[in-house]
Amino acid sequence: MNEVRVSQSATESIHTTPRFVKARRLGIETIQEAQIYLHKNCEVCKAEGFETHARVLVAHDDRTVIANLYQVTSDIVAEGEAGLSDLAWDRLGLHEGGEITINHPPALESFGRVRGKVYGRPLDEASLSNIIKDVAAGRYSNVELSAFITACAARPLDRREICALTRAMIEVGDRIAWDKVPIVDKHSVGGLPGNRTTPIIVAVVAACGLTIPKTSSRAITSPAGTADTMETLAPVDLDLPAMRSVVEREGGCIVWGGAVRLSPTDDIFIRVERLLDLDSEGQLVASILSKKIAAGATHLVLDMPVGKTAKVRSPNAAAALSKCLAEVGQVFGLTTRVIQTDGSQPVGRCIGPALEARDVLAVLQGKPDAPTDLKERGLMLASHLLELGGAAPVDAGMALAQETLKSGRAWIKFQRICEAQGGMREPPIALHRHSVVSARTGKVISIDNRRLAKLAKLAGAPEAKAAGLELHVRLGTHVERSQPLYTVHAEAVGELDYALQYARANRDIIQLEAL
């Protein structure tokens, strides 16, 4: 057999000689994954052996991005050019006519540890640090992210792994240091539609002189996250200097955590968790605490709804999760108080970003028809923060919270925060509505949180801000035949139809007991 020898210098020239390709912006939105499109007959594809779905390293000047490659056979791109998605174009800082190079990316060595976790091998601190660094740098594809998230759900993280994951997520992002203490914060574990207490709590607590720099997530598997709801009232995509300015001016803020790069990998994981409908305990703890610690919090109150159709379904599960959150928080010097709350039914009247915002406004403005349960839950959680942060003595927090809301000071503070974040606005209203009525007379004995949330998502929430549903009954409500149980709100007729089809197939979302 003949042997072919290639000299070292020749090998180096093969890999170091850049192949320049003219770039063109295609105007394709791909959210968080960069995409590049090359003609199937492109010389680069042939020379490098690139195939569709390959991961490639794209470079322009001193900027690089790892992108998914797709081959095309039409004239969308010519054989000597590359089409780029908006995300790839912006990250590379390209201009029309600019040139790029395309190469194989470096080996993703950290993924070997992910494969090990799939087969039951624990992740040490160095492995998790390398994995999170690669995720933050955009080296993990959606498939690889899914593997990591699924492995951590199927092979639950132990306490040591959770601490290591939390630390790794903090270290790849920015951190805020404040020149005062305490810095208080609040978070809900989630799983309960309409539980939009954060704007109420921030307004009350900041009005009482405590500092509460609240960063919030967008929806994962729910029809609305706090950031989605707040965005219908004021801008939330503030950068770190803007966030600091708002907090220094007003004592509090409600911003989207993804815009300020506090634990930036969390928003990457959230996007994939939403697609998988997975939210494992270890990643939940790391997700919550990494952002709070990065935001400089010293004292944290956690709302943990417990119910058969909430995220946390039993008191035993709640106790285990509470213990984990408190212990991991303590490792990082964070004083944590977990409050178990009723998760048997939605909070407030509405589900969906703009609809929930209207519930919040009704409470803050002191309207007589404001949802009582949302008001009471917000005040209860605010009272714990006031006591934990030293603004009120033990057992005196509720009285202070109630007075702050009743006097209008909380509403004034909320308006000031909105103005500082870029200006307050009116939540949108859906164009299409349809009420679902009761088929018989009876008393409401159960409400399925999960299926109501799915119904609101089918109506278009959270992407369609005005979409969702408005509840007209609570547990224990006596209803008559043909009385409305809830009203579906949608911005498009097609989404309204999808939601109503689901409602007709799931008439037991709200169960009645015959009178």
Side-chain angles (χ1 to χ4, degrees), residues 169-221:
M169 291 174 69
I170 294 168
E171 288 176 350
V172 296
D174 295 327
R175 294 189 69 171
I176 306 178
W178 304 96
D179 59 1
K180 61 176 73 174
V181 290
I183 302 297
V184 302
D185 209 336
K186 168 268 173 188
H187 189 85
S188 175
V189 171
L192 195 59
N195 191 18
R196 207 53 57 217
T197 56
T198 291
I200 299 164
I201 294 166
V202 170
V204 169
V205 169
C208 291
L210 290 178
T211 302
I212 180 165
K214 182 73 178 76
T215 62
S216 298
S217 297
R218 298 192 185 276
I220 303 175
T221 57

Side-chain angles (χ1 to χ4, degrees), residues 235-256:
V236 296
D237 55 346
L238 280 65
D239 60 17
L240 205 53
M243 173 186 169
R244 181 182 287 278
S245 175
V246 173
V247 175
E248 289 176 347
R249 174 175 157 185
E250 298 299 339
C253 68
I254 307 166
V255 301
W256 174 45

Side-chain angles (χ1 to χ4, degrees), residues 286-320:
S287 170
I288 293 170
L289 297 184
S290 64
K291 285 198 169 180
K292 302 309 170 190
I293 295 162
T298 59
H299 295 74
L300 173 66
V301 166
L302 281 160
D303 172 21
M304 186 177 294
V306 182
K308 289 191 297 183
T309 58
K311 183 178 290 185
V312 182
R313 302 188 187 185
S314 71
N316 288 340

Side-chain angles (χ1 to χ4, degrees), residues 2 26 52 63 107 116 204 223 270 331 350 363 416 418 429 444 470:
N2 294 327
L26 294 183
T52 286
R63 296 193 187 187
V204 169
I270 283 172
V331 169
C350 298
V363 172
R416 290 173 62 96
C418 287
I429 297 173
V444 178
E470 183 179 2

Side-chain angles (χ1 to χ4, degrees), residues 417-440:
I417 289 172
C418 287
E419 289 303 318
Q421 289 188 197
M424 193 166 184
R425 51 203 181 203
E426 188 74 15
I429 297 173
L431 293 174
H432 309 283
R433 306 178 196 181
H434 186 90
S435 293
V436 175
V437 301
S438 175
R440 60 191 179 93

Side-chain angles (χ1 to χ4, degrees), residues 58 67 73 98 193 219 227 251-252 270 330 348 458 480 503:
V58 186
T73 56
I270 283 172
Q330 188 175 24
L458 286 170
E480 300 294 329

Side-chain angles (χ1 to χ4, degrees), residues 20 195 357 412 469:
F20 288 100
N195 191 18
I412 292 170
L469 59 89

Side-chain angles (χ1 to χ4, degrees), residues 433-451:
R433 306 178 196 181
H434 186 90
S435 293
V436 175
V437 301
S438 175
R440 60 191 179 93
T441 298
K443 182 176 77 171
V444 178
I445 59 170
S446 75
I447 299 176
D448 192 316
N449 291 310
R450 290 175 181 271
R451 285 192 286 171

